[in-house]
Amino acid sequence: MFGSLAIARTQSTKPRIRNMSFSMSKASLPVFEISLNALSVILDKAEAHAAAKKIDPSVLLHSRLSPDMFALVRQVQIATDLAKIGSARLAGVEAPPYEDNETTMEELKTRIARTVAYLKTLDPKQIDASADREIAFPLGPTNTGHMKGDDYLNHFVLPNFYFHLTTAYAILRHCGVDIGKRDFLGAVPMKMT
């Protein structure tokens, strides 16, 4: 676990410092699950948009924001890989391989569902225990990155996950799919009064 200091105000308005712990598993597994489930719903909306506009869904699947960026299919594949492989590395286990052969929205949604199901099999305690353990991971065809587990999660896995998730959202929004911030955020665990 990794802790942070928070300042809490007492009735006398004097700040006091208290230690707050937040585990690596809590900082990652629910984030991946909620975000990937939201992405699946966004893909549902993309399918409905394509049907309503009489657009071949493969047009959306192969759309990209810029010629030198990956298309939607690859953005979804990378987002799921980051959640799956990043979590597995932190847990000290081998992630199941995916073939990266999805060609339909339905196949992408199946990949997302498989990833969410896999994440539920991981032991949160193993992920939590990785904060100070060195994680080695490939960076391109010849290099290997090395980071402590907490840095790997906070400065590599989560930012990259959000980059590809956001890019997938942006591609579909750019293509006219009627989605917004609430679609991107998904089922945020909060109470409303």
Side-chain angles (χ1 to χ4, degrees), residues 38-52:
L39 180 58
S40 190
V41 171
I42 287 171
L43 294 177
D44 285 336
K45 291 187 175 196
E47 277 185 303
H49 172 80

Side-chain angles (χ1 to χ4, degrees), residues 155-183:
H155 301 292
F156 187 83
V157 176
L158 287 172
N160 277 287
F161 174 76
Y162 277 121
F163 174 84
H164 292 284
L165 191 71
T166 302
T167 304
Y169 166 87
I171 288 168
L172 292 172
R173 185 70 186 98
H174 178 73
C175 289
V177 178
D178 187 18
I179 50 177
K181 187 179 191 177
R182 291 185 77 147
D183 297 298

Side-chain angles (χ1 to χ4, degrees), residues 1 22 28 31 45 51-53 65 74 88 96 98 102 109 115 117 121-122 126-127 130 142-143 153 178-179:
M1 288 205 227
F22 193 65
S28 59
V31 169
K45 291 187 175 196
K53 299 290 184 180
L65 293 177
R74 190 71 185 124
Y98 292 170
E102 293 82 12
K109 291 187 296 182
T115 303
T121 69
L122 296 174
Q126 288 177 281
I127 293 172
S130 71
T142 58
N143 296 320
L153 175 63
D178 187 18
I179 50 177

Side-chain angles (χ1 to χ4, degrees), residues 18-173:
R18 61 185 164 105
N19 192 22
M20 297 174 61
S21 66
F22 193 65
S23 70
M24 300 251 307
S25 61
K26 287 180 184 175
S28 59
L29 296 176
V31 169
F32 295 141
E33 182 176 351
I34 289 169
S35 297
L36 290 173
N37 285 332
L39 180 58
S40 190
V41 171
I42 287 171
L43 294 177
D44 285 336
K45 291 187 175 196
E47 277 185 303
H49 172 80
K53 299 290 184 180
K54 297 183 178 16
I55 299 169
D56 180 349
S58 69
V59 171
L60 298 177
L61 292 167
H62 299 292
S63 292
R64 56 186 77 223
L65 293 177
S66 177
D68 64 346
M69 291 181 77
F70 289 126
L72 175 67
V73 170
R74 190 71 185 124
Q75 299 293 346
V76 174
Q77 290 169 341
I78 294 170
T80 56
D81 282 349
L82 284 160
K84 171 186 63 140
I85 297 169
S87 297
R89 282 190 186 120
L90 291 170
V93 298
E94 192 70 31
Y98 292 170
E99 293 184 36
D100 294 340
N101 60 358
E102 293 82 12
T103 59
T104 66
M105 296 284 184
E106 198 58 44
E107 288 173 349
L108 287 176
K109 291 187 296 182
T110 298
R111 181 186 180 111
I112 291 169
R114 282 177 43 214
T115 303
V116 171
Y118 171 71
L119 295 173
K120 291 179 180 185
T121 69
L122 296 174
D123 183 351
K125 290 177 185 169
Q126 288 177 281
I127 293 172
D128 295 341
S130 71
D132 293 321
R133 184 169 43 85
E134 183 175 294
I135 306 293
F137 54 100
L139 287 173
T142 58
N143 296 320
T144 301
H146 301 270
M147 300 175 87
K148 294 288 186 188
D150 58 353
D151 286 335
Y152 174 68
L153 175 63
N154 289 314
H155 301 292
F156 187 83
V157 176
L158 287 172
N160 277 287
F161 174 76
Y162 277 121
F163 174 84
H164 292 284
L165 191 71
T166 302
T167 304
Y169 166 87
I171 288 168
L172 292 172
R173 185 70 186 98

